Amino acid sequence: ALGKMGIVRYDANGERFDPERHQAMTAVPVTDPALDNRVVESITAGAALGDKVIRPAVVVVGRYVAPKADEDTN
């Protein structure tokens, strides 16, 4: 019924975090620099009417953490 009114659901997985379209629930460490500041999981899909966001997607955002060097180099 909402689709008939022009309301579209959107999934944010893989998108760059945008506070206009996403509500970050939490951030998780990622070791892939390509995932830094990207949505790694959608908790709730967002909804938009044309270009206007009605409900932002609730998401988990990745934060790059460099892998630690192996400390067993005695």
Side-chain angles (χ1 to χ4, degrees):
L2 295 175
K4 291 179 183 178
M5 296 173 23
I7 297 174
V8 178
R9 292 182 64 184
Y10 62 89
D11 181 25
N13 283 342
E15 292 182 4
R16 180 159 297 285
F17 177 73
D18 178 359
E20 297 291 324
R21 293 178 43 87
H22 310 123
Q23 177 182 348
M25 181 63 70
T26 189
V28 295
V30 293
T31 56
D32 183 355
L35 295 177
D36 186 43
N37 205 33
R38 294 237 176 231
V39 175
V40 294
E41 181 182 350
S42 288
I43 297 171
T44 304
L49 178 60
D51 291 337
K52 182 175 171 115
V53 174
I54 295 173
R55 180 182 68 201
V58 179
V59 299
V60 176
V61 180
R63 291 284 176 220
Y64 176 69
V65 177
K68 294 183 178 182
D70 191 10
E71 296 180 18
D72 292 331
T73 56
N74 291 340

